[in-house]
Amino acid sequence: MTGKVTSKGRTYNFYGNGTAIRINDNAGPYLRHLANTLPNEFNRALRHVGWWSREELQQAVYQGGPRGHRWPPLSGVHQQRQLQDLKSKRYREPATHPFGRLVRAIGYKHEKNLMKVRVGWLSRSAAEAASKVQSGQTIRVTPKMRRFFWAAGVPLTSDYINIPARELMEPFFRNRRGDIHERIERRVGYYLRKQEKKFSAGSALKRFSWAM
């Protein structure tokens, strides 16, 4: 997932795993103004949004899909990890969501010099695995698989196992775009207020020292 705010040849990005989504609509001019006039505070706000987005994405996975985009429930085969067991040949705890360990691989990377933060699966292997979960899969049932499921008490009547798509990145950033705008603006304001308090406290201390 990529979102861009562009100003005078510079681009401020949110990265993830797929389609582009822009955040330079009505709020764009003000974000560009913040980036140009307050680069340090803007950068800190980007880093904060990276952390926040990662936390929200992980919660969306645990809750069964991003806001306004709920996923189909897991099938019994998926819950019992029987497809994985076919490959690993070892017992696993029942699955509660479709991303497995990939949920813990969601991360963010802030690149200060580029005014950029990447959010999503930062390694190629994790991104490729997550892409399959998000796009869905159709798995052809082999004779070995059929025997395995029959032995597990789950006879397969079809020649294919269809795993539905469970999109995460695109609907998350599409629906939370306004939250991202607002969070950047509020965070920049928060840093400015902190600096103002620090400056005021320092000035008061200097006046007290001169009075002494």
Side-chain angles (χ1 to χ4, degrees), residues 54 57-58 61-62 97 99-109 118-127 129-130 168-169:
R54 181 194 63 188
L57 282 164
Q58 290 176 334
V61 171
Y62 294 133
H97 60 79
F99 281 89
R101 289 182 297 178
L102 288 171
V103 68
R104 296 196 296 271
I106 298 174
Y108 72 97
K109 181 179 180 181
R118 295 191 294 165
V119 182
W121 288 281
L122 303 182
S123 74
R124 182 179 297 275
S125 59
L168 175 62
M169 291 293 173

Side-chain angles (χ1 to χ4, degrees), residues 163-175:
I163 302 176
R166 292 179 170 91
E167 295 179 277
L168 175 62
M169 291 293 173
E170 196 279 333
F172 174 84
F173 282 103
R174 182 182 68 238
N175 295 337

Side-chain angles (χ1 to χ4, degrees), residues 3-7 9-13 114-116:
K4 297 183 178 180
V5 178
T6 305
S7 174
R10 292 182 296 174
T11 302
Y12 317 110
N13 294 323
L114 298 177
M115 283 192 174
K116 179 169 73 176

Side-chain angles (χ1 to χ4, degrees), residues 35-193:
N36 288 328
T37 57
L38 301 166
N40 291 334
E41 290 76 13
F42 187 80
N43 245 325
R44 293 179 68 186
L46 280 182
R47 186 173 60 191
H48 168 76
V49 166
W51 170 85
W52 172 82
S53 297
R54 181 194 63 188
E55 298 294 305
E56 291 292 305
L57 282 164
Q58 290 176 334
Q59 284 301 312
V61 171
Y62 294 133
Q63 293 169 1
R67 180 190 300 174
H69 194 88
R70 287 295 178 252
W71 298 326
L74 297 181
S75 67
V77 167
H78 205 153
Q79 286 178 351
Q80 297 302 319
R81 303 180 187 268
Q82 286 166 323
L83 286 174
Q84 293 95 325
D85 289 343
L86 180 65
K87 299 176 182 178
S88 65
K89 297 182 180 180
R90 64 185 178 87
Y91 174 77
R92 297 173 184 234
E93 290 291 328
T96 58
H97 60 79
F99 281 89
R101 289 182 297 178
L102 288 171
V103 68
R104 296 196 296 271
I106 298 174
Y108 72 97
K109 181 179 180 181
H110 177 234
E111 299 177 61
K112 182 177 180 180
N113 292 338
L114 298 177
M115 283 192 174
K116 179 169 73 176
V117 62
R118 295 191 294 165
V119 182
W121 288 281
L122 303 182
S123 74
R124 182 179 297 275
S125 59
E128 289 175 352
S131 179
K132 292 179 181 179
V133 178
Q134 293 184 95
S135 61
Q137 299 180 72
T138 298
I139 301 174
R140 188 175 184 277
V141 177
T142 64
K144 179 181 177 181
M145 289 174 63
R146 196 177 297 278
R147 289 193 300 271
F148 174 86
F149 281 98
W150 182 86
V154 187
L156 298 178
T157 58
S158 175
D159 291 333
Y160 296 93
I161 296 175
N162 293 311
I163 302 176
R166 292 179 170 91
E167 295 179 277
L168 175 62
M169 291 293 173
E170 196 279 333
F172 174 84
F173 282 103
R174 182 182 68 238
N175 295 337
R176 306 303 292 271
R177 179 171 54 192
D179 295 338
I180 290 173
H181 292 165
E182 182 181 353
R183 190 163 286 267
I184 290 176
E185 294 172 14
R186 284 195 286 110
R187 205 67 184 178
V188 169
Y190 166 75
Y191 294 136
L192 289 176
R193 288 191 297 274

